[in-house]
Amino acid sequence: MFYSYYSEMNPLINPIFLHGFVASIQFMFLIFMLISWVWKRFKIDPTLVPKQSVKCLFYKQTLFCSIVLSLFNLVLCFLNNFYWYRNGWTDEKIVTLLHAALGTLVWLFVSVYLHTLVSNSSTISRKYPAVVRVWWVFFFTVSCYSVVVDYVYYKRAYDSIPMFFVSDSVSSIMGLFLCFVGLSRKTEDESQTNNLEEPLLNSGVSRAEVASTYENASFFSLVTFSWMNSIIAKGNKKALDLEDVPQLAKIDSAKEVYPALLNKVESLSNGSNQITSFRLTKALLYIVWKEVAITGILALVSSLTSFVGPYLIEEFVQYLNGQRDYKNQGFVLVAAFLVAKVIGCFTQRHWYFKLQQAGMRARSAIVAMIYQKGLTISGQSKQGNSSGEIINFMAVDAGRIDEYAWYMHDFWLVLIQVGVALWLLYKNLGLAFIASLIATIVVLLANLPLGSIQEKLQDELMKSKDKRMKSTSEILRNMRILKLQGWEMKFLSKIIKVRDEEQSALKKYMYTLSMTSFIFWGAPIVVAVATFATCLFLGIPLESGKVLSALATFKILQEPIYNLPDSISMFFQTKVSVDRIATYLRLNDIDSSAVYRVLQSSSETAVEIIDGSFSWDPSASSNPTLKDINLRVNHGMRVAVCGTVGSGKSSLLSCILGEISKISGSVKVEGSKAYVAQSPWIQSGKIEYNILFGREMDRERYEKVLEACSLKKDLEILSFGDQTVIGERGINLSGGQKQRIQIARALYQDADIYLFDDPFSAVDAHTGSHLFKECMLQFLDSKTVIYITHQVEFLPAADLILVLRDGRITQAGKYNDILNSGSDFMELVGAHKEALSAIDSMGTTVQEQPDSSKETTNDGQNGKPDDSSASKAQLVQEEEREKGRVGFSVYWKYITTAYGGALAPVVVFAVILFQILQIGSNYWMAWASPVSASDPAPVTGTTLIIVYVALAAGCALCVLARGLLIATVAYKSATILFHQMHLAIFRSPMSFFDSTPSGRILNRASTDQSAVDLQIPYQIASFVFAIIQLLGIIAVMSQCAWQVIIIFIPVAGLCVWLQQYYLPSAREMARLVGVCKGPVIQNFAETISGSITIRSFDQQARFQETNLKLNDDFSRPKFHAAAAMEWLGIRLDMLSSFTFAVFLIFLISIPEGYIDPSIAGLAATYGLTLNTLQGWVVWTLTNLENKIISVERIFQYSSIPSEPPLVIESNRPDDQWPSQGEVDIQHLEVRYAPHMPLVLRGITCTFSGGKKTGIVGRTGSGKSTLIQTLFRLVEPTAGQILIDGINISTIGLHDLRSRLSIIPQDPTMFEGTIRSNLDPLEEYTDDQIWEALDKCQLGDEVRSKEGKLDSPVTENGENWSVGQRQLVCLGRVLLKKTKVLVLDEATASVDTATDGMIQQTLGKHFTDSTVIMIAHRITSVLDSDMVLVLEQGLVDEYDSPTKLLEDKSSSFAKLVAEYSMRSSSSYENLAAT
């Protein structure tokens, strides 16, 4: 019949003729292309043609289009062959098959031709070849004409839509794109050039910065997210860096939102410090209220449009069943479905994006407030919150406020969604909706206890994490001392113990989560069973249209029911975070009124304290730290402060700075201040940046400062001079260099008043005298200087000396006046005189040496290190990040981490079975229900419900099994990865910690570990689940109209291409988010530790500005990553909406009775979720790629090269080793990293067993490096060290370090108790600990404490003075009592009398031990058996002190002479006055 109809038609509107004609043209084109290609191949020599780098416009997309067309024709070919093989052949079928087969070959050939064309690049032309462009135009024209012919034929014949129509529709769409490309004059190079020129035209932004594309976007661009095009395109061409990411819009910048939040909080709190959680929340809402209002409207519209599908589905089923209410009803229904989908898509995408924008804005503002608080918080308040906890407020709690934005509208939305759903059910099923309501309430109530359990477990998790991060932070800060003592594995076990508590909560949380997931997927089943059973009971007829509408409604209800407990849980978590932040913001600040500050005035007074009493603990006002302080310092005076350890010297400076709470009295300070702390605080960054400290460069002053601080020589030695990047906490500088940079920072500020807290303790005697003379006496000659010192020889130069004891000024006056007026000062001076008499007894005469205070260094070849073999590179490198696609190996490694991946197939099987049973249950309901009330029911109502319940129960069990299995795998994987990473970090060499800021490590231990704990396993499961669901939907839709596969293939191809196009940018931005978070945390940690220095220089505003910039740098990739996700989502939604619309057109075009309306309705019901699911697949894949970076980063730190083994079983020294303690150093060469210069350059010497050897030399000569090599913190580049004949490089590190003792340069105490600080390995009894405390003069101090040995030690031991901390370190070695003892400038932080006591104690208890002492006080090494003088990493002198002193030209003799001279000359000067 149809064939005869064709034969009667005009050939120009005959589809068979037309497609036969096109097939013949395709064949000729194929022959022509082959001949042309062969001719070019043999006629032209490609080597003679210069290669061009030019690419044609949209090359990748064009190639992709050609491949899709080839595959599409191949699928058509197979389908036709298979279908007609069974149904016989006709002319139409033969022509269709021929057309498809030739189409496959032509487009395959075009694809290969394009690929070879560009890969060879042997054409001068910037356009595609003319023959290809002509073919594209012809192809498009014929395809469009064919579509019209097909439609005309269809309207006349009114048969099912022919295969030609499908083929020609797809060809027209593809042809349109190819035609555009072929006729376009631009090339890809030209479009790139234009893109490159754009930023240069924007004068408001520097070349390094890209202006905000969001802020300047048009309305259409904003709606479609097209303002993201440029960055996504750039991400496709190169790995994105931070400078490629556009700036934030002003409205989102921390610089704009922070002042707004601050002003609002202050206005709500009436200027007081009483910031409540409610006020803080109100202020946060104030800065994002517009976004909240807009997203509320968008969320409402999006939710309402989601119900259009279920509302229309019954009418659609009746239409398919032949019920026509009006003309073109089918097309109206399709249009309604499509419009609702499109509106829903746009509103949902902007709803999600705007919420994230609001969350980021709130986070930026709150982080800035937390940072500002860190700058103003008082010392007492800080003791209650460790830096780790404060960092968590910023890293975790502020992040949670950001995340809560997602859940902001859930509470009122769920009421609207449930209300609309119940109205829809009432419309379809009458009173049975009451059963739905009751079932919904039951499911919600079942969720509530799980929600509260989750909240409780989340709270436990957070507390455990806080505790773990606090410990980790402290351990990373003090890793050097742990390695020196051999304690790192003990402290690792402490971290693991805390993690075990965290894991206990984590395990419970994960299994609770699997129960919640069970309820999520079970909710629609429970509600459906209850509703349909009620219908049966009440006799309400179940028609397939109404059943399908109800099922679609239940599906929509699933999400709010599931999200509500999640939202409740998130609400409480965020409330806890807001409460924590508000509590922190309420803590007491430094009392700005404690010190009356005035600018420089005509008054003579610089500092005045009248009847001052001060305490670090304001609550303990009955026992103040400083009592009855009366002090007046005039401008230009030099004031020295001295006293024994713990007498209150540092507290005196703190009261002038306003750092300590004032109980009574008054403090007045006139002029600007500069402060040098006792423990150096150095920022990460260049040396120049540390010295300038925010001031403009004045080259002349800068050079004078470097000269005065003896820094020029050090800068010559460093590869990059003052451009050298300092590691965290000045890790790559010696103690003396750090101290001198601190002094240089103070001098450069040109302040009126200078406060020095024992700045000469960390430098050698030679440098110390130079600093005192150049800085104190000359550079600061006209300034007011108050300095604490333990060196008595610096006291006579002071105009006023204050002697402190037990918090009181016991003596005050000039040196001569107080010398004989009290015992305290005599005690200090007496110890110094004894030391000087020791020099005199050795027969040294003081000679006036004109160059004695100059640097005694060689100016020849040895003046600079031998770094010719090392390439110059900074110690601290940029944080490395992987670039490009996350390798499959990362996924595979993660999946097989737990149980070798054995449970993964079981999880996949459970998911597949669930999907089969779920589709089966819905299929059953659709098939077993009559289409209309007049039709007979295929089965009885009881059978209908029983089978449905059975299938539903199977679904529920699969979901439960899946949830429990995922929880098991997730928990096991998280545990294994945590242990692997932490073991690798703790076993890594010291060089790793020197060059890696702790912020990077903490970021992996917190953010990345959290992702592994709670997100990644569920992301992987979601992706697998989404894929299986999508395949299920396609299978159901194909049941009704197989043609949908033909549409779905190119659409799926486009979706995959879009996702691949978007992914490189998304991936790199996710990595940038990870990399940019570290500097924010690190900067905050540095600020907290240096807050006193920052305040003393009045630099709070500059530091806050830096923090705001770092915050914006973190928000930029985060903001654009969120926008990129919606950019992709909106395009995928459009494609899936198009697929769904085409599918519906197929359904309404099929003749009545051709398919079962119930099954068609079921397919349409599933199609409603197609765009959501298609988006979900890509979203989960992308999100997974972004999150898996956390696993990648953990794997990166799990494979850090390890230190040598702790124990080598085959080469263990005996228990008595070392018995003699002889240390033999042979040709030792050491460098800190392969790219760094040599620090020790061939040292050879022997320290005899049982003897005391002193090591001296100017700062940076390699003294501390030698000690680090002895403990193997640094491995020798060449040479070796033997102890009692055993090469220390051949034995285990633990065997070596546990047999040596050290009192380090920086006295370290850990948070805990006195007992845990002296004996962390728990090896000694209380009696032994008390004995050690008594020997180091701390026994009485500890006994006076309430807790005795359990007295608390706060973070970094801050509730003990630096001198007391040094005595605790002495106590440790007295307990350990080994044969080799090293003192690394161990007495730098104590006064001369305490130094003498330490020397006596060591002399008494280590008589038969080898003692190696680095000392800055020359008197400390005079009683040594041998003295080693180092200069520029070489042995300058090595002999007994007596012999070295006999040779007046020796470096040691010069050092001693100068020390003696400066002390004696001080007395002489004094006598002269």
Side-chain angles (χ1 to χ4, degrees):
M1 171 190 164
F2 296 118
Y3 177 67
S4 62
Y5 177 74
Y6 275 135
S7 59
E8 293 166 10
M9 288 175 72
N10 183 332
L12 288 177
I13 55 168
N14 185 338
I16 294 181
F17 172 79
L18 198 59
H19 286 84
F21 171 70
V22 171
S24 60
I25 297 288
Q26 282 178 329
F27 180 70
M28 287 190 289
F29 175 71
L30 194 60
I31 298 297
F32 176 78
M33 289 288 282
L34 273 168
I35 294 167
S36 145
W37 181 74
V38 170
W39 182 78
K40 275 189 179 178
R41 184 86 179 159
F42 292 102
K43 187 80 175 169
I44 300 170
D45 184 356
T47 58
L48 299 177
V49 181
K51 289 209 169 189
Q52 304 291 314
S53 59
V54 175
K55 281 187 183 178
C56 302
L57 185 68
F58 293 127
Y59 162 70
K60 284 184 182 175
Q61 294 89 321
T62 307
L63 182 63
F64 177 78
C65 230
S66 302
I67 293 168
V68 166
L69 279 167
S70 179
L71 290 173
F72 175 67
N73 278 292
L74 184 66
V75 170
L76 276 182
C77 201
F78 274 112
L79 281 171
N80 290 342
N81 200 22
F82 172 72
Y83 183 72
W84 287 317
Y85 178 75
R86 295 185 306 174
N87 296 291
W89 296 84
T90 64
D91 290 353
E92 179 196 357
K93 292 164 187 175
I94 292 167
V95 168
T96 307
L97 188 63
L98 187 65
H99 181 265
L102 283 167
T104 304
L105 290 172
V106 165
W107 288 109
L108 179 65
F109 194 86
V110 169
S111 304
V112 173
Y113 184 73
L114 287 174
H115 178 67
T116 52
L117 176 83
V118 173
S119 60
N120 290 338
S121 298
S122 56
T123 175
I124 306 294
S125 172
R126 289 178 168 228
K127 293 183 177 178
Y128 291 101
V131 65
V132 174
R133 286 184 287 131
V134 167
W135 168 249
W136 286 342
V137 173
F138 170 78
F139 173 71
F140 174 62
T141 310
V142 170
S143 297
C144 290
Y145 180 69
S146 299
V147 169
V148 176
V149 168
D150 293 336
Y151 184 73
V152 169
Y153 153 72
Y154 162 68
K155 289 298 282 182
R156 289 186 184 178
Y158 203 73
D159 192 5
S160 63
I161 288 181
M163 182 69 75
F164 289 146
F165 185 75
V166 176
S167 167
D168 294 333
S169 299
V170 173
S171 298
S172 300
I173 295 164
M174 296 291 191
L176 177 64
F177 172 73
L178 293 171
C179 219
F180 162 73
V181 172
L183 297 175
S184 176
R185 293 187 177 184
K186 263 190 183 178
T187 67
E188 198 162 310
D189 273 39
E190 287 165 8
S191 63
Q192 278 185 35
T193 309
N194 293 346
N195 285 344
L196 288 171
E197 285 168 3
E198 276 171 24
L200 300 178
L201 300 173
N202 193 324
S203 57
V205 182
S206 68
R207 277 188 67 175
E209 293 180 346
V210 183
S212 169
T213 48
Y214 173 72
E215 198 168 28
N216 305 318
S218 64
F219 176 75
F220 175 78
S221 185
L222 286 172
V223 169
T224 58
F225 290 93
S226 300
W227 53 274
M228 282 297 299
N229 287 353
S230 57
I231 188 171
I232 290 171
K234 191 181 280 186
N236 249 291
K237 296 181 180 74
K238 62 174 283 248
L240 290 175
D241 293 311
L242 188 60
E243 53 269 24
D244 298 319
V245 180
Q247 296 296 311
L248 292 170
K250 275 187 182 176
I251 197 168
D252 293 314
S253 170
K255 290 170 187 172
E256 293 285 327
V257 294
Y258 164 61
L261 179 68
L262 193 63
N263 293 338
K264 192 65 182 173
V265 167
E266 283 174 356
S267 68
L268 290 171
S269 307
N270 300 321
S272 71
N273 197 30
Q274 294 309 303
I275 301 169
T276 61
S277 301
F278 177 70
R279 286 170 181 166
L280 185 60
T281 308
K282 204 170 169 185
L284 283 169
L285 279 171
Y286 170 75
I287 62 170
V288 294
W289 73 266
K290 281 183 186 170
E291 280 67 28
V292 172
I294 291 166
T295 51
I297 295 164
L298 292 172
L300 180 63
V301 174
S302 179
S303 297
L304 291 175
T305 54
S306 67
F307 284 100
V308 171
Y311 177 76
L312 294 177
I313 202 79
E314 192 205 352
E315 193 179 335
F316 189 71
V317 170
Q318 295 305 332
Y319 174 84
L320 294 179
N321 198 34
Q323 188 181 317
R324 307 282 194 272
D325 295 335
Y326 49 87
K327 195 181 176 186
N328 294 327
Q329 185 186 359
F331 287 104
V332 170
L333 286 172
V334 171
F337 274 118
L338 185 61
V339 169
K341 276 272 165 218
V342 171
I343 292 172
C345 146
F346 277 97
T347 51
Q348 188 184 49
R349 291 296 149 205
H350 284 278
W351 164 25
Y352 288 169
F353 173 68
K354 284 279 181 192
L355 280 181
Q356 289 177 85
Q357 187 182 18
M360 274 180 257
R361 199 181 297 171
R363 188 200 60 80
S364 290
I366 204 78
V367 162
M369 274 197 84
I370 293 166
Y371 184 88
Q372 185 62 36
K373 189 70 181 181
L375 287 169
T376 60
I377 191 171
S378 69
Q380 173 63 22
S381 300
K382 205 197 293 189
Q383 279 190 9
N385 294 276
S386 71
S387 59
E389 287 172 323
I390 296 171
I391 287 165
N392 253 356
F393 293 139
M394 180 181 271
V396 179
D397 294 302
R400 192 162 291 150
I401 289 170
D402 183 355
E403 287 166 25
Y404 181 68
W406 279 103
Y407 302 86
M408 197 182 293
H409 298 298
D410 284 7
F411 294 104
W412 63 267
L413 263 185
V414 74
L415 296 173
I416 287 171
Q417 285 170 317
V418 170
V420 174
L422 290 173
W423 170 76
L424 206 54
L425 288 170
Y426 175 69
K427 176 182 169 291
N428 285 321
L429 303 176
L431 288 176
F433 91 95
I434 296 169
S436 305
L437 176 62
I438 294 166
T440 304
I441 292 167
V442 168
V443 172
L444 280 172
L445 291 175
N447 250 344
L448 290 177
L450 283 175
S452 63
I453 292 167
Q454 269 183 305
E455 187 198 337
K456 189 182 168 190
L457 290 170
Q458 186 78 27
D459 205 30
E460 273 181 50
L461 262 176
M462 282 308 303
K463 283 177 182 169
S464 304
K465 187 180 177 184
D466 278 358
K467 198 173 167 186
R468 173 169 65 82
M469 291 312 298
K470 187 175 170 183
S471 301
T472 308
S473 176
E474 184 179 49
I475 286 167
L476 291 176
R477 215 170 26 246
N478 300 305
M479 188 55 83
R480 185 175 299 277
I481 185 71
L482 295 183
K483 295 238 177 233
L484 286 168
Q485 301 281 9
W487 292 345
E488 69 268 43
M489 298 319 286
K490 174 68 180 177
F491 278 77
L492 173 60
S493 67
K494 284 186 177 180
I495 294 283
I496 287 171
K497 192 177 174 187
V498 179
R499 170 68 181 177
D500 287 342
E501 292 173 26
E502 190 183 348
Q503 277 178 192
S504 170
L506 181 67
K507 193 173 187 179
K508 291 175 193 166
Y509 181 79
M510 281 176 163
Y511 285 117
T512 313
L513 212 59
S514 59
M515 289 305 295
T516 315
S517 174
F518 171 59
I519 287 176
F520 171 59
W521 292 103
I525 296 168
V526 171
V527 177
V529 168
T531 308
F532 295 148
T534 307
C535 287
L536 191 68
F537 179 71
L538 295 176
I540 297 167
L542 285 174
E543 296 163 19
S544 59
K546 292 177 177 179
V547 167
L548 291 171
S549 177
L551 286 173
T553 307
F554 298 146
K555 188 81 179 159
I556 292 172
L557 267 183
Q558 177 182 13
E559 201 133 332
I561 289 173
Y562 174 67
N563 282 345
L564 188 62
D566 214 14
S567 306
I568 293 167
S569 168
M570 196 65 195
F571 171 78
F572 284 112
Q573 284 175 41
T574 310
K575 184 179 180 298
V576 167
S577 288
V578 171
D579 288 345
R580 277 158 54 98
I581 292 170
T583 306
Y584 170 67
L585 294 175
R586 278 199 303 274
L587 291 173
N588 291 328
D589 286 341
I590 295 284
D591 183 5
S592 55
S593 63
V595 176
Y596 176 60
R597 294 182 178 86
V598 288
L599 296 172
Q600 188 78 48
S601 67
S602 55
S603 163
E604 288 183 4
T605 310
V607 177
E608 186 175 35
I609 304 174
I610 302 169
D611 298 329
S613 289
F614 306 88
S615 176
W616 286 109
D617 184 1
S619 58
S621 55
S622 56
N623 184 27
T625 312
L626 294 174
K627 304 175 269 289
D628 308 324
I629 303 295
N630 283 286
L631 173 65
R632 183 190 174 99
V633 179
N634 290 336
H635 285 293
M637 278 180 73
R638 269 194 300 276
V639 180
V641 182
C642 58
T644 55
V645 170
S647 59
K649 301 183 295 298
S650 297
S651 298
L652 181 66
L653 292 191
S654 294
C655 76
I656 296 169
L657 290 168
E659 293 293 327
I660 186 170
S661 298
K662 182 177 73 178
I663 294 167
S664 62
S666 66
V667 182
K668 182 180 174 188
V669 175
E670 289 190 14
S672 57
K673 312 176 298 299
Y675 168 68
V676 177
Q678 186 171 12
S679 300
W681 178 73
I682 302 289
Q683 276 186 282
S684 302
K686 293 175 183 173
I687 291 174
E688 180 193 279
Y689 170 75
N690 269 277
I691 295 172
L692 296 182
F693 206 57
R695 287 179 76 94
E696 291 296 317
M697 169 62 86
D698 176 347
R699 182 56 65 181
E700 188 182 344
R701 181 176 182 81
Y702 184 73
E703 293 298 330
K704 283 181 183 174
V705 167
L706 293 182
E707 188 66 52
C709 296
S710 306
L711 278 169
K712 287 211 161 181
K713 201 71 184 174
D714 297 273
L715 296 181
E716 281 175 24
I717 293 168
L718 294 167
S719 301
F720 294 86
D722 63 358
Q723 298 305 302
T724 300
V725 174
I726 301 172
E728 196 175 16
R729 303 186 310 281
I731 206 100
N732 49 335
L733 299 175
S734 72
Q737 286 169 328
K738 283 190 272 190
Q739 194 64 276
R740 283 181 290 127
I741 287 172
Q742 268 214 128
I743 296 169
R745 176 171 64 205
L747 297 191
Y748 189 78
Q749 294 300 306
D750 193 21
D752 301 313
I753 301 164
Y754 283 82
L755 305 172
F756 290 93
D757 193 349
D758 197 14
F760 311 113
S761 61
V763 295
D764 56 79
H766 191 68
T767 311
S769 64
H770 175 86
L771 284 173
F772 189 76
K773 182 181 174 186
E774 295 289 326
C775 299
M776 297 290 196
L777 303 182
Q778 292 178 11
F779 202 96
L780 300 176
D781 185 37
S782 60
K783 304 288 185 182
T784 308
V785 182
I786 302 174
Y787 61 98
I788 294 170
T789 185
H790 289 130
Q791 280 94 327
V792 175
E793 60 272 20
F794 295 147
L795 295 175
D799 300 313
L800 173 67
I801 298 169
L802 304 175
V803 184
L804 271 81
R805 190 180 190 91
D806 299 329
R808 294 177 192 275
I809 300 176
T810 55
Q811 290 172 272
K814 288 204 169 188
Y815 186 90
N816 225 16
D817 301 339
I818 63 172
L819 192 57
N820 301 312
S821 64
S823 60
D824 294 336
F825 192 60
M826 275 305 295
E827 194 179 307
L828 295 170
V829 175
H832 180 64
K833 283 183 174 173
E834 280 176 34
L836 283 176
S837 64
I839 296 177
D840 296 337
S841 67
M842 301 185 85
T844 310
T845 57
V846 177
Q847 296 181 358
E848 193 65 46
Q849 296 182 11
D851 63 339
S852 61
S853 65
K854 300 278 185 284
E855 298 301 326
T856 53
T857 54
N858 301 325
D859 293 324
Q861 181 61 34
N862 292 337
K864 284 200 173 186
D866 173 21
D867 63 342
S868 57
S869 62
S871 61
K872 289 187 175 185
Q874 298 280 18
L875 174 69
V876 181
Q877 303 289 336
E878 282 289 310
E879 179 171 4
E880 58 178 285
R881 61 184 174 102
E882 300 287 338
K883 293 198 175 185
R885 178 182 288 278
V886 178
F888 177 71
S889 59
V890 176
Y891 293 93
W892 182 250
K893 202 172 169 187
Y894 175 72
I895 290 165
T896 56
T897 298
Y899 310 108
L903 290 181
V906 186
V907 173
V908 173
F909 175 73
V911 171
I912 292 170
L913 190 58
F914 165 77
Q915 189 60 25
I916 290 168
L917 290 171
Q918 193 194 41
I919 290 172
S921 63
N922 292 340
Y923 199 96
W924 167 258
M925 287 303 291
W927 176 81
S929 305
V931 177
S932 62
S934 58
D935 293 345
V939 294
T940 63
T942 314
T943 310
L944 178 79
I945 296 298
I946 289 171
V947 173
Y948 183 71
V949 168
L951 291 167
C955 284
L957 287 173
C958 287
V959 168
L960 185 60
R962 185 196 70 146
L964 295 173
L965 287 167
I966 290 168
T968 307
V969 172
Y971 170 75
K972 187 73 176 173
S973 301
T975 307
I976 292 169
L977 290 180
F978 178 87
H979 285 268
Q980 281 178 352
M981 178 173 75
H982 279 72
L983 182 63
I985 289 170
F986 275 68
R987 287 286 297 113
S988 59
M990 200 61 223
S991 57
F992 169 73
F993 299 97
D994 290 349
S995 58
T996 309
S998 61
R1000 289 184 197 170
I1001 304 171
L1002 290 172
N1003 210 358
R1004 280 167 174 80
S1006 60
T1007 311
D1008 293 326
Q1009 187 62 46
S1010 285
V1012 169
D1013 286 347
L1014 295 167
Q1015 292 174 313
I1016 290 165
Y1018 297 102
Q1019 290 287 352
I1020 293 174
S1022 281
F1023 175 64
V1024 172
F1025 200 18
I1027 286 284
I1028 290 166
Q1029 278 200 297
L1030 186 61
L1031 292 173
I1033 285 183
I1034 298 304
V1036 171
M1037 288 170 76
S1038 303
Q1039 274 279 352
C1040 302
W1042 59 266
Q1043 292 93 336
V1044 79
I1045 293 180
I1046 299 164
I1047 293 296
F1048 186 75
I1049 287 170
V1051 168
L1054 264 172
C1055 286
V1056 170
W1057 176 80
L1058 271 171
Q1059 192 250 358
Q1060 292 303 315
Y1061 182 67
Y1062 146 87
L1063 209 52
S1065 309
R1067 191 190 302 122
E1068 294 311 318
M1069 282 193 281
R1071 285 180 174 141
L1072 282 172
V1073 169
V1075 169
C1076 292
K1077 191 172 186 180
V1080 176
I1081 294 172
Q1082 188 192 334
N1083 178 56
F1084 190 35
E1086 276 188 350
T1087 303
I1088 291 168
S1089 61
S1091 55
I1092 295 175
T1093 303
I1094 295 165
R1095 284 194 290 266
S1096 67
F1097 285 93
D1098 295 321
Q1099 293 269 353
Q1100 296 97 309
R1102 182 172 70 87
F1103 273 79
Q1104 176 63 281
E1105 198 170 319
T1106 304
N1107 170 60
L1108 294 175
K1109 185 188 179 306
L1110 288 172
N1111 244 312
D1112 280 351
D1113 285 350
F1114 170 63
S1115 296
R1116 270 160 59 201
K1118 200 168 157 58
F1119 174 84
H1120 288 92
M1125 179 69 84
E1126 304 312 331
W1127 176 92
L1128 176 68
I1130 218 157
R1131 282 149 182 77
L1132 293 180
D1133 285 352
M1134 288 296 100
L1135 285 170
S1136 55
S1137 297
F1138 165 73
T1139 309
F1140 183 53
V1142 170
F1143 170 67
L1144 292 180
I1145 289 168
F1146 272 134
L1147 290 184
I1148 63 169
S1149 304
I1150 292 169
E1152 190 184 326
Y1154 196 77
I1155 56 164
D1156 184 344
S1158 301
I1159 303 306
L1162 176 68
T1165 308
Y1166 269 97
L1168 286 172
T1169 59
L1170 182 67
N1171 70 320
T1172 314
L1173 204 53
Q1174 209 167 340
W1176 189 31
V1177 168
V1178 178
W1179 187 84
T1180 48
L1181 175 61
T1182 309
N1183 221 16
L1184 178 58
E1185 277 241 349
N1186 292 347
K1187 293 290 181 193
I1188 204 78
I1189 292 164
S1190 289
V1191 174
E1192 185 181 50
R1193 282 156 60 88
I1194 286 176
F1195 283 150
Q1196 191 185 49
Y1197 269 30
S1198 300
S1199 54
I1200 305 164
S1202 178
E1203 276 188 311
L1206 293 175
V1207 174
I1208 299 172
E1209 291 296 344
S1210 60
N1211 197 17
R1212 296 202 69 172
D1214 60 57
D1215 294 340
Q1216 302 308 312
W1217 181 86
S1219 54
Q1220 303 301 315
E1222 182 179 275
V1223 180
D1224 185 14
I1225 300 169
Q1226 300 175 358
H1227 312 295
L1228 188 66
E1229 291 184 5
V1230 174
R1231 58 161 49 100
Y1232 279 102
H1235 58 260
M1236 304 285 282
L1238 283 170
V1239 182
L1240 299 181
R1241 299 186 289 150
I1243 291 180
T1244 300
C1245 60
T1246 302
F1247 303 149
S1248 303
K1251 302 290 184 185
K1252 183 178 179 184
T1253 304
I1255 304 177
V1256 294
R1258 74 180 297 281
T1259 302
S1261 59
K1263 304 185 295 292
S1264 290
T1265 304
L1266 179 59
I1267 300 309
Q1268 289 188 59
T1269 313
L1270 181 63
F1271 282 83
R1272 286 177 66 195
L1273 287 190
V1274 185
E1275 293 290 330
T1277 307
Q1280 58 182 7
I1281 300 177
L1282 306 175
I1283 300 181
D1284 284 2
I1286 292 181
N1287 183 347
I1288 62 168
S1289 297
T1290 63
I1291 62 171
L1293 290 179
H1294 193 267
D1295 283 339
L1296 170 67
R1297 291 168 185 169
S1298 62
R1299 311 293 175 88
L1300 309 177
S1301 291
I1302 184 167
I1303 303 179
Q1305 185 173 353
D1306 299 320
T1308 304
M1309 288 177 79
F1310 299 92
E1311 189 168 5
T1313 63
I1314 288 291
R1315 180 190 279 106
S1316 68
N1317 267 279
L1318 282 165
D1319 179 26
L1321 303 183
E1322 299 167 7
E1323 293 175 335
Y1324 305 101
T1325 64
D1326 283 8
D1327 291 339
Q1328 288 172 308
I1329 294 171
W1330 278 117
E1331 187 185 336
L1333 282 170
D1334 288 331
K1335 285 176 186 172
C1336 65
Q1337 309 291 307
L1338 273 176
D1340 294 338
E1341 177 71 29
V1342 176
R1343 284 187 184 90
S1344 69
K1345 303 264 181 191
E1346 192 181 328
K1348 304 288 189 292
L1349 289 180
D1350 293 320
S1351 300
V1353 175
T1354 58
E1355 191 178 19
N1356 297 330
E1358 282 179 3
N1359 57 339
W1360 296 78
S1361 76
V1362 178
Q1364 288 169 327
R1365 283 181 241 166
Q1366 198 64 282
L1367 294 177
V1368 168
C1369 294
L1370 172 63
R1372 285 177 189 150
V1373 301
L1374 289 169
L1375 267 177
K1376 202 172 178 185
K1377 199 153 190 288
T1378 55
K1379 200 70 184 170
V1380 177
L1381 170 66
V1382 177
L1383 305 174
D1384 188 358
E1385 298 167 7
T1387 58
S1389 305
V1390 296
D1391 56 84
T1392 315
T1394 311
D1395 183 14
M1397 181 274 294
I1398 290 175
Q1399 299 302 338
Q1400 284 175 10
T1401 307
L1402 293 174
K1404 185 176 173 185
H1405 297 285
F1406 288 89
T1407 46
D1408 57 344
S1409 297
T1410 304
V1411 178
I1412 302 167
M1413 173 184 275
I1414 295 176
H1416 290 151
R1417 288 200 180 103
I1418 295 297
T1419 50
S1420 301
V1421 296
L1422 284 175
D1423 63 341
S1424 302
D1425 299 297
M1426 298 290 280
V1427 171
L1428 172 66
V1429 182
L1430 290 178
E1431 181 65 36
Q1432 302 281 318
L1434 293 165
V1435 175
D1436 191 18
E1437 296 164 356
Y1438 183 49
D1439 213 328
S1440 68
T1442 315
K1443 284 187 180 174
L1444 289 174
L1445 288 169
E1446 284 170 2
D1447 178 4
K1448 298 296 182 284
S1449 64
S1450 73
S1451 298
F1452 184 66
K1454 287 178 182 177
L1455 282 170
V1456 173
E1458 189 207 333
Y1459 181 86
S1460 176
M1461 179 206 68
R1462 75 179 183 195
S1463 303
S1464 304
S1465 65
S1466 298
Y1467 292 143
E1468 286 161 18
N1469 293 340
L1470 186 67
T1473 57

